[in-house]
Amino acid sequence: MSVAALPPWPDWQPRKEYVMALAFVPHINISSRIANRFGEFAHSFIFRAIVSGYTAKVLHEVAMTPNTYMVVNLLKLREGADVVDAHTKFNPFALSRHRRCDTFLRSP
């Protein structure tokens, strides 16, 4: 409101309208600062929650990887099947014709 407190130019007539228009500036300024602070808080809170959730998921996967391998190998032994692409060529630039593998299942 400091601009409205300055003395006006002597020939300037719309002084009352000018002061009325500037009366909202402090309210807008204070409101935008408060909204900015709340937004910063919400952003940091949500970011912290996302990071901690991601960390928990990664740690869970690291802890469960040996168990996953154990279960997969147990299932492969019980079923007696293991999918292997032994004769498959994965080179997309191969000049020779692609040979088809006859058997995908290999028994132990």
Side-chain angles (χ1 to χ4, degrees):
M1 206 62 180
S2 62
V3 175
L6 294 174
W9 187 261
D11 296 335
W12 196 59
Q13 296 300 320
R15 170 95 176 132
K16 186 177 181 182
E17 291 83 5
Y18 181 71
V19 171
M20 194 166 64
L22 285 180
F24 291 106
V25 171
H27 299 294
I28 293 171
N29 190 355
I30 291 170
S31 300
S32 66
R33 287 175 189 252
I34 291 171
N36 189 354
R37 297 298 180 251
F38 278 115
E40 288 285 330
F41 174 74
H43 178 266
S44 65
F45 181 74
I46 291 171
F47 183 72
R48 224 177 306 136
I50 289 172
V51 168
S52 65
Y54 176 76
T55 304
K57 287 179 183 179
V58 169
L59 290 176
H60 179 269
E61 287 295 326
V62 168
M64 295 306 291
T65 298
N67 295 337
T68 303
Y69 274 98
M70 187 172 44
V71 168
V72 168
N73 287 331
L74 180 69
L75 289 173
K76 285 180 180 181
L77 281 173
R78 285 194 179 170
E79 291 178 1
D82 191 7
V83 178
V84 177
D85 288 333
H87 303 290
T88 304
K89 295 181 180 179
F90 292 105
N91 186 359
F93 303 109
L95 297 176
S96 65
R97 194 173 168 177
H98 178 67
R99 287 186 0 205
R100 183 173 172 238
C101 182
D102 293 332
T103 60
F104 290 103
L105 298 178
R106 179 179 57 143
S107 60

